[in-house]
Amino acid sequence: MIKIGDLVIVKSNFSHIPELLGIVIAEDADGIWRYTVAECKTGDYIPCNDEELIPVDTPRQAEDWERKKKLRKLLDKNK
């Protein structure tokens, strides 16, 4: 169950970055988008649905995600 204040990974096709780390700041069960997430790096607000969010439960998950993201950038540069 996702709640306000949770650290989440957002996997969205609508964002300029396909994956980003953010904090859930609002929930709206009646609107088109269920949650509003603030991106950790920029503070931008991103509207999201349940299927776009992956809760980060441990610091290890956040570290693994950051490491995977850095590796992906490195591989993209070497293509």
Side-chain angles (χ1 to χ4, degrees):
M1 180 75 185
I2 297 169
K3 56 188 179 299
I4 294 174
D6 282 354
L7 183 65
V8 293
I9 296 171
V10 179
K11 289 190 169 194
S12 175
N13 295 330
F14 302 110
S15 176
H16 61 284
I17 301 171
E19 290 183 358
L20 53 94
L21 202 58
I23 298 172
V24 178
I25 60 169
E27 181 177 358
D28 180 20
D30 297 333
I32 296 172
W33 306 104
R34 174 96 190 256
Y35 299 101
T36 301
V37 174
E39 184 179 353
C40 287
K41 286 189 178 185
T42 64
D44 291 343
Y45 291 174
I46 301 164
C48 302
N49 288 323
D50 292 337
E51 58 272 359
E52 296 175 309
L53 301 179
I54 301 169
V56 177
D57 298 327
T58 64
R60 174 71 186 213
Q61 278 182 302
E63 289 170 7
D64 289 346
W65 179 80
E66 286 288 342
R67 191 176 4 243
K68 181 177 136 183
K69 189 173 172 186
K70 287 179 186 176
L71 181 61
R72 189 176 302 141
K73 279 185 184 178
L74 184 66
L75 291 173
D76 286 344
K77 284 183 181 180
N78 289 330
K79 283 186 180 179

